[in-house]
Amino acid sequence: MEDHILSEAERFLAPILVKASRPAQTKSIIECMTSEQPGSPPTNDSRQYPHQRRTVINKALHLLSSLHDASRKDSPRLEQPAAGSKSQKLIDTLIDLVVLEGIYPCLSPGVGVPMERRVKSALKGDLVTRPLSQPNPENLQDRELIATIVDRLYPIVLSRQGLASSVEARMLVDLIAAVAEAAFSPNFTAEFRQKYLSYFDSLLDSKPAIDVLPLLTSLLHPSCPDWLRSPVSSYLSLLPLRPYGLRQIIDFIAGSTSGDAQQHADQHHNPSLGSNLTSDALARASRLLTSIPSTMTADDYFSALAPQLLDLWDDPNPDNQRIASYIIGNGTLCKRKIGSPGTIGWRLFAEPIFESLHPRVDRCPVPEKMLKLAIDRLAILVQFHRNPGLTKRLVVPVLLPLWGLQCYALEHLRAGWADDIHRILNTYMKISVTDSQLLLLSDHLLWNGPPLWTFMPGDSGGIEIRQRATEVDHSEIMARLIQSIDIRVGQYSRLLRAAFLTDDQLSVVFTHVCKRWLNESPTPSENDRLDVMESDPRDPVESLISAKLAQRLLEEFKDQISSSLLGIFQLIGPILSAFVTEHQRTTERGARTALPRLRMLDAIASHPTRDNDEDYESTGPVSSALSLLSAVLAPSDNPLDIGESILQSIQISLEYIAQASSSLDSSITMSASNILVLLQLRSDISKYSKSTMKPHVNDLHADDRNEHRTALIHLSDDLAPVRAQGVSTLTNLILKSSPILNIPSTGILLLSLLQDEDEYIYLSAIKALGYLASNHPKTVVQMLVERYADSSEDTTLDVRIRVGEALNKTIEHLGELFMGTVASLVGERMIAVASRRGDRPKTLQKRERAKRKVDKARKEAEEAWDGEIPAEVDDNGEDGEMNAHIARVVEGWADTGREEDIRIRTSALSILGTAIETNVAGVGATITSTAVDFVLAILKLEKSNDRAILRRAAVMVIMSLIKALDAADERGLQLGFGFADENLAEVITVLKYVEITDTDEVVIGHIRAVIESLEAWRKKSIFGPQGARGHQEMKTFALDETRLAGLAMRPVVRPMIEEVD
């Protein structure tokens, strides 16, 4: 870099760099510089100012171009000057001069980032910038100046050499704003805009998506004009379609969530994106990535995005799989327009799985790699996604192929394949299974493929799908399948245990299996077309399978099955009748070798190697049936609520068995006699109890207890979809006011769910707490308030804020029922939490320990470096400054000594405002008056920047009171208190003082809205709703209906809140 150019730049900038050379009075930058130049015209003529400004900016641009050319000539790969060096300071000053006096005066209102949010200027001291005015459409000087700036700086940035890094770090977003002004502003002609439209595209295309995203989003603030918002938003929506665009956008959101957006900037090949991605950030990423650009159709957009999504879906990293499953499941397949069958999302993400698991004959064979990929994708989607409806839509069409493939893997020792499929079926059984699907599997227990294809060993030791051989020994295949009956029966029983079925569901399955066992014709199940052969209930193999399955169900689920008496009697009646019929037929023929068919089947099941001519008689099924009857009848003296015909049929069968002592085992005949006595006793009780509803009530409570037990089991599961199903079941019990719920225990359980990492689960728990409080307000609200206040300091900040959200929703649910001791408790405790009187020594000790740990690590690093740790070069410039500012703000929120965290105090004020607005009459005059005095004190005393969010919430409390008073006037409710003249004047005085002295724009915007609403309310109170347009003004200046929830505040005038958890 030439020294004479730096010397010339130093002489040029001397008037603004050397403070001693400046005049005593405050002057603008341009006036200061031109007054020091020899031969310069007088600066007090405002008409000369535009000419002077162009002269200075052209000189600064010339020096920057010369320095850039010199650096490229000396060394094309010249490194960036050290931060803080003299040459770098000159370059930064030249750049800031171009931005502040060249670009900003030429921009339309609302274009560019606000001055206070850009990189801190190198122009320090008492220099000022002339007030900016809107560019004149007919003023060619503005157009020429902005064109000159862009034409000079645009090649520097694209060169990636010389001063490119310095220009990018200090003014890239300002340069983009200038190019956007020239490309889209209606103030310029179409011919002029056409040239800079290409500049805009090429400038952004030269940067990775992770850099472009924060730059463009910073331009989309509330005051951004529509002519700029539209093209910028359109460009943002196309960023995911860039190479690695999807990963870069997710990486940016993950980095911004963790406060280190640049950390992952270059990890485009296989980064772990999900480790820093919270549930809220994941939802934001999904919404952004599935938003279809206005310039494209859904088919075109998702077809272009799908390769990146599939690549992320197939990534071996579990974090990336979680992200892909959320975007595909929640963002695509759960939306009717793009995720229902036949739409682009379904064709891209669901149909390939179905085609691999259940292919048409023209798609065979399915290679091992493709089949394993389909299983892995389905497992990821089912495991990480929490929507039971989507799980059902994905699993049901391939339920039998999954079942057959899992059993084949178990039989051929492919444990990895079997485990993957079991996770899919296990999750489906827990959250979405229906009776029809359970019966489908029981009817096709030996299913190994349709008639045209079957499962075969793969080339790499796995499994693949091939067409069946045309000439095959069916007897050999059937023999192998019969040998696998025990494996398949055991696996079916395992799935039933995982499903947490109700007693009624188990009874339905058991009854269905026994009907097939008895060679009756059960209701045809769906998907019979998938079977290998036509299912013939008279086939001995089918009877054998049903006998094995029924025996296993009786062994493992005897207690659950016996709880449904009607189903049990409907089941056992046919068993006993069939046994009696066969026994009568055998007795009449007088041939003991002609065994009843049922006992032959049982003999095959239990002793497959016994000779056929052996005199063997199995009484296992009858013995099990009698034992089951004895178990369900003996322990209870409740009335027997079954049909008369069923009871009579069973009694006839039992009487026959009891009297056949000569041909049957004595234990069977004795059991039949005992059961007849129990039946007679229960029948007598029923005669005197038919007018009561006790059995019905007990049944309802039993159902509720089963649902409650199932919900508790689901809530303890590791899978988020299963836990979500548990919350849903528990919410249903709360909504129907089930008497089996213990309110304190249920409240504690829901409070514990607020600590769940999954956003859907803790938000559902918040909703459930609101429903629970509707019926039991005092108990639930007291629990929430105690957990929120956290006097024992055992709860983390995030959980307390979630409890605050739950309390906020609970108050809204209660409505006018929010009164009395409940309202007093909430008001008093919220004022106490929001005050500065909070004493949290344990929290202070934790912060001090964390600080000592950081200091120790820094000291060890300094010893390792043998001195001060070298500062990291922040290539992100503006983002680095912003991240540092955010970190300081968050540290200020938490570092409050022994006092409460600022975020909790803000949340408490929000809840207090909700309480006042919901039912100000229930809150009462005392707490309302205290709240007003309290928030006014906050506005007057807590003036630091880190307490801005506290002041915002304080102003919103006053707005809530105004809305409550106005609502009371509308209903004609006499509160007995309100704003008296002196109090109203004091409130307005304090608000106007804060409006003038406060530095936070959001606070100022809130205050202006509150003052306007106060004036409107006062006029309305004096003149009535129809006088002085009072009512209309109240509506005009009223806040949005959405309330503060924790820290999620929504300002009225300029929603520019930026908060980091």
Side-chain angles (χ1 to χ4, degrees):
M1 197 177 289
E2 295 292 340
D3 292 339
H4 76 276
I5 304 178
L6 290 173
S7 300
E8 183 181 358
E10 187 175 7
R11 289 193 300 271
F12 173 70
L13 298 173
I16 58 176
L17 290 178
V18 184
K19 188 173 182 179
S21 66
R22 301 176 190 162
Q25 70 275 17
T26 299
K27 303 177 68 174
S28 71
I29 297 174
I30 298 299
E31 290 171 342
C32 182
M33 296 189 69
T34 55
S35 63
E36 297 294 325
Q37 301 297 329
S40 60
T43 59
N44 55 1
D45 188 357
S46 60
R47 293 175 297 179
Q48 294 294 327
Y49 189 84
H51 173 72
Q52 295 166 353
R53 186 182 69 182
R54 289 195 304 275
T55 302
V56 171
I57 297 303
N58 285 330
K59 179 65 175 178
L61 291 172
H62 171 72
L63 289 172
L64 285 173
S65 298
S66 300
L67 289 171
H68 175 69
D69 294 338
S71 64
R72 294 180 64 186
K73 181 179 179 181
D74 293 342
S75 176
R77 301 183 181 273
L78 189 65
E79 295 183 357
Q80 178 74 14
S85 64
K86 183 177 180 180
S87 59
Q88 185 61 51
K89 184 177 181 181
L90 291 173
I91 294 171
D92 292 345
T93 305
L94 288 171
I95 293 173
D96 290 344
L97 179 62
V98 172
V99 172
L100 297 179
E101 292 293 344
I103 293 179
Y104 271 80
C106 295
L107 298 180
S108 301
V111 178
V113 296
M115 188 76 70
E116 64 275 7
R117 293 180 57 188
R118 73 176 304 275
V119 180
K120 190 175 181 181
S121 173
L123 304 174
K124 301 178 181 179
D126 54 2
L127 297 175
V128 298
T129 301
R130 278 280 185 92
L132 307 182
S133 59
Q134 183 174 0
N136 185 353
E138 299 180 357
N139 191 350
L140 298 180
Q141 296 175 349
D142 288 332
R143 187 179 73 179
E144 293 173 357
L145 180 59
I146 199 170
T148 301
I149 295 173
V150 172
D151 290 342
R152 287 290 189 94
L153 297 180
Y154 172 77
I156 294 178
V157 173
L158 290 188
S159 68
R160 300 180 180 273
Q161 299 175 354
L163 300 187
S165 58
S166 297
V167 174
E168 287 187 17
R170 304 242 7 129
M171 63 166 296
L172 182 57
V173 67
D174 304 310
L175 180 61
I176 292 175
V179 176
E181 176 79 25
F184 305 112
S185 175
N187 295 333
F188 303 132
T189 63
E191 293 78 10
F192 180 82
R193 296 198 302 265
Q194 187 62 37
K195 171 185 175 182
Y196 295 99
L197 181 60
S198 62
Y199 279 22
F200 181 81
D201 292 335
S202 58
L203 182 61
L204 295 178
D205 291 344
S206 65
K207 306 298 175 188
I210 198 171
D211 294 336
V212 173
L213 189 63
L215 292 173
L216 293 187
T217 51
S218 65
L219 298 178
L220 296 178
H221 46 76
S223 58
C224 176
D226 292 338
W227 56 262
L228 178 61
R229 183 182 302 275
S230 178
V232 170
S233 300
S234 177
Y235 194 93
L236 276 172
S237 63
L238 294 173
L239 285 179
L241 302 184
R242 289 186 176 191
Y244 299 109
L246 183 142
R247 287 178 178 264
Q248 291 174 356
I249 289 175
I250 296 174
D251 198 28
F252 168 76
I253 295 177
S256 62
T257 303
S258 63
D260 192 3
Q262 189 64 20
Q263 178 178 341
H264 312 287
D266 299 324
Q267 298 179 358
H268 302 326
H269 297 290
N270 191 25
S272 177
L273 303 177
S275 56
N276 295 324
L277 207 60
T278 63
S279 298
D280 181 63
L282 184 57
R284 287 191 285 121
S286 176
R287 286 194 298 269
L288 176 63
L289 293 170
T290 57
S291 298
I292 303 171
S294 58
T295 57
M296 300 181 68
T297 63
D299 288 18
D300 293 339
Y301 177 73
F302 281 102
S303 297
L305 185 65
Q308 295 189 65
L309 270 177
L310 295 175
D311 180 65
L312 197 66
W313 201 1
D314 300 334
D315 196 295
N317 190 294
D319 292 327
N320 295 346
Q321 294 173 358
R322 179 174 71 94
I323 296 172
S325 69
Y326 189 92
I327 297 173
I328 294 172
N330 190 73
T332 306
L333 296 180
C334 282
K335 296 180 179 179
R336 179 172 299 179
K337 291 184 178 180
I338 57 176
S340 59
T343 59
I344 182 63
W346 190 262
R347 296 198 304 269
L348 289 173
F349 305 119
E351 287 185 359
I353 296 176
F354 298 159
E355 292 175 356
S356 296
L357 290 172
H358 190 272
R360 299 189 303 270
V361 65
D362 58 337
R363 296 294 184 113
C364 288
V366 178
E368 174 184 338
K369 182 178 180 181
M370 184 181 298
L371 187 60
K372 188 66 168 65
L373 182 64
I375 294 172
D376 290 341
R377 288 179 176 178
L378 183 58
I380 291 168
L381 203 56
V382 170
Q383 181 177 357
F384 286 112
H385 201 267
R386 55 173 172 260
N387 190 308
L390 179 59
T391 301
K392 182 176 181 179
R393 290 167 53 203
L394 292 173
V395 174
V396 168
V398 290
L399 181 60
L400 277 184
L402 287 172
W403 165 258
L405 186 57
Q406 181 190 25
C407 294
Y408 183 90
L410 289 172
E411 295 158 7
H412 293 78
L413 304 180
R414 268 67 167 182
W417 289 67
D419 290 342
D420 292 340
I421 302 171
H422 178 71
R423 282 196 296 270
I424 298 173
L425 294 177
N426 189 47
T427 303
Y428 169 71
M429 288 289 175
K430 288 181 177 180
I431 64 178
S432 299
V433 71
T434 61
D435 293 350
S436 61
Q437 303 305 319
L438 294 172
L439 302 184
L440 171 69
L441 291 181
S442 69
D443 291 347
H444 300 85
L445 213 63
L446 296 184
W447 195 90
N448 69 343
L452 297 178
W453 58 259
T454 188
F455 304 110
M456 295 288 184
D459 296 335
S460 303
I463 305 172
E464 64 183 21
I465 294 177
R466 300 182 204 158
Q467 293 187 24
R468 292 184 184 272
T470 55
E471 296 181 0
V472 63
D473 187 353
H474 292 285
S475 60
E476 181 181 352
I477 295 177
M478 188 56 62
R480 288 201 305 268
L481 290 176
I482 291 176
Q483 292 175 0
S484 68
I485 288 179
D486 289 336
I487 295 177
R488 295 185 178 236
V489 167
Q491 190 61 25
Y492 185 79
S493 176
R494 182 184 178 190
L495 289 177
L496 292 184
R497 289 196 302 271
F500 303 118
L501 301 178
T502 64
D503 296 345
D504 290 340
Q505 287 178 306
L506 280 171
S507 180
V508 168
V509 174
F510 188 57
T511 304
H512 179 83
V513 171
C514 287
K515 285 182 178 180
R516 293 181 64 86
W517 178 21
L518 298 173
N519 293 334
E520 299 182 14
S521 298
T523 303
S525 58
E526 49 189 281
N527 289 354
D528 280 340
R529 63 180 179 83
L530 296 176
D531 204 353
V532 177
M533 64 190 75
E534 292 295 328
S535 179
D536 184 3
R538 293 170 297 179
D539 185 358
V541 176
E542 292 292 332
S543 297
L544 174 61
I545 296 170
S546 299
K548 281 278 190 180
L549 186 55
Q551 183 179 2
R552 176 63 67 90
L553 294 178
L554 272 175
E555 292 173 356
E556 297 195 12
F557 303 102
K558 180 178 180 180
D559 294 338
Q560 294 93 318
I561 294 173
S562 64
S563 64
S564 179
L565 293 183
L566 180 60
I568 296 302
F569 276 78
Q570 290 175 338
L571 161 69
I572 293 181
I575 294 178
L576 297 179
S577 298
F579 178 81
V580 169
T581 301
E582 291 295 332
H583 189 271
Q584 288 174 341
R585 188 180 306 163
T586 303
T587 303
E588 290 173 359
R589 287 200 305 264
R592 291 184 54 84
T593 55
L595 298 177
R597 191 169 184 275
L598 292 175
R599 282 168 285 184
M600 289 179 63
L601 291 175
D602 191 69
I604 296 174
S606 304
H607 303 279
T609 60
R610 186 181 294 270
D611 294 336
N612 291 333
D613 58 351
E614 183 178 353
D615 186 9
Y616 175 74
E617 180 177 353
S618 174
T619 56
V622 175
S623 178
S624 299
L626 295 177
S627 299
L628 182 57
L629 270 179
S630 179
V632 299
L633 291 174
S636 175
D637 58 355
N638 290 330
L640 197 60
D641 188 15
I642 62 174
E644 186 67 26
S645 60
I646 299 176
L647 181 59
Q648 186 176 4
S649 173
I650 290 179
Q651 286 177 331
I652 293 174
S653 299
L654 289 172
E655 290 173 355
Y656 175 86
I657 295 174
Q659 296 172 2
S661 58
S662 60
S663 58
L664 294 176
D665 189 88
S666 59
S667 62
I668 294 179
T669 58
M670 185 175 298
S671 296
S673 300
N674 293 336
I675 293 173
L676 281 171
V677 175
L678 292 174
L679 281 176
Q680 185 62 44
L681 176 62
R682 297 287 291 274
S683 298
D684 294 340
I685 296 174
S686 300
K687 295 178 181 179
Y688 300 100
S689 306
K690 289 184 177 179
S691 60
T692 66
M693 297 301 295
K694 185 176 179 181
H696 179 65
V697 174
N698 287 340
D699 286 344
L700 287 179
H701 291 182
D703 291 341
D704 288 353
R705 280 192 293 272
N706 289 335
E707 290 186 18
H708 187 258
R709 182 173 62 251
T710 303
L712 295 180
I713 295 174
H714 284 169
L715 290 174
S716 62
D717 200 278
D718 295 334
L719 295 176
V722 179
R723 296 199 302 275
Q725 183 68 21
V727 178
S728 176
T729 304
L730 189 60
T731 303
N732 292 334
L733 291 173
I734 294 173
L735 287 174
K736 65 181 183 180
S737 302
S738 175
I740 62 101
L741 290 177
N742 182 282
I743 303 308
S745 300
T746 304
I748 292 173
L749 175 62
L750 291 174
L751 283 173
S752 67
L753 292 177
L754 297 181
Q755 305 179 40
D756 200 291
E757 296 180 357
D758 192 278
E759 178 187 18
Y760 180 85
I761 293 174
Y762 76 71
L763 289 178
S764 300
I766 289 174
K767 186 183 298 183
L769 280 167
Y771 294 142
L772 188 65
S774 299
N775 296 327
H776 309 276
K778 186 174 180 179
T779 302
V780 177
V781 170
Q782 184 174 0
M783 293 173 60
L784 289 172
V785 169
E786 293 299 329
R787 182 64 65 90
Y788 183 75
D790 189 31
S791 56
S792 60
E793 302 184 55
D794 297 328
T795 309
T796 63
L797 174 68
D798 289 340
V799 174
R800 291 181 70 191
I801 289 179
R802 292 177 185 178
V803 174
E805 294 178 6
L807 183 57
N808 199 76
K809 293 293 184 183
T810 299
I811 294 171
E812 293 177 346
H813 271 292
L814 291 176
E816 294 185 356
L817 296 177
F818 181 69
M819 61 174 66
T821 57
V822 174
S824 300
L825 175 65
V826 172
E828 292 170 359
R829 296 304 293 270
M830 292 306 105
I831 291 176
V833 172
S835 68
R836 303 176 66 180
R837 299 193 298 270
D839 186 20
R840 303 185 66 80
K842 293 182 181 179
T843 305
L844 177 61
Q845 292 174 3
K846 291 179 182 178
R847 288 200 298 266
E848 289 176 346
R849 285 197 299 267
K851 184 178 180 181
R852 286 195 297 269
K853 186 176 181 181
V854 172
D855 292 341
K856 181 181 178 181
R858 183 173 62 251
K859 184 177 179 181
E860 292 176 352
E862 289 176 350
E863 292 176 355
W865 281 96
D866 195 18
E868 185 178 355
I869 303 173
E872 295 183 3
V873 178
D874 189 0
D875 296 332
N876 208 25
E878 178 183 351
D879 289 339
E881 292 282 346
M882 182 60 66
N883 291 337
H885 173 70
I886 291 174
R888 289 192 296 271
V889 171
V890 174
E891 183 180 1
W893 288 345
D895 192 10
T896 56
R898 296 171 69 98
E899 296 179 7
E900 283 280 11
D901 191 291
I902 299 299
R903 288 164 284 189
I904 286 294
R905 296 179 61 195
T906 304
S907 175
L909 285 178
S910 168
I911 297 169
L912 181 62
T914 298
I916 292 174
E917 185 176 345
T918 300
N919 190 5
V920 68
V923 174
T926 303
I927 293 179
T928 303
S929 176
T930 303
V932 173
D933 294 338
F934 175 57
V935 298
L936 291 179
I938 288 177
L939 292 174
K940 290 187 291 186
L941 299 177
E942 312 228 16
K943 305 293 292 182
S944 60
N945 290 334
D946 54 15
R947 280 160 169 75
I949 59 171
L950 192 64
R951 298 194 299 275
R952 299 172 190 175
V955 179
M956 297 289 279
V957 173
I958 300 177
M959 176 59 80
S960 296
L961 178 57
I962 298 171
K963 296 175 72 174
L965 294 176
D966 180 63
D969 292 340
E970 289 284 344
R971 300 198 306 267
L973 180 63
Q974 298 297 326
L975 296 175
F977 59 90
F979 285 117
D981 292 339
E982 295 180 359
N983 293 337
L984 183 60
E986 179 185 357
V987 171
I988 293 178
T989 300
V990 173
L991 291 176
K992 289 185 177 180
Y993 166 76
V994 177
E995 180 187 4
I996 297 173
T997 59
D998 206 298
T999 58
D1000 186 77
E1001 292 186 3
V1002 179
V1003 174
I1004 296 172
H1006 282 354
I1007 289 176
R1008 289 171 181 169
V1010 169
I1011 292 175
E1012 295 284 359
S1013 297
L1014 275 173
E1015 294 291 346
W1017 175 80
R1018 182 170 61 176
K1019 291 179 182 179
K1020 185 176 179 181
S1021 300
I1022 296 174
F1023 300 106
Q1026 298 179 356
R1029 300 196 310 274
H1031 187 53
Q1032 183 65 30
E1033 291 181 14
M1034 177 63 77
K1035 287 187 176 180
T1036 301
F1037 296 104
L1039 290 180
D1040 187 16
E1041 290 299 325
T1042 53
R1043 282 300 313 141
L1044 293 172
L1047 296 180
M1049 296 179 292
R1050 296 211 178 173
V1052 179
V1053 181
R1054 301 185 64 184
M1056 295 175 60
I1057 299 175
E1058 295 182 3
E1059 298 167 356
V1060 177
D1061 291 333

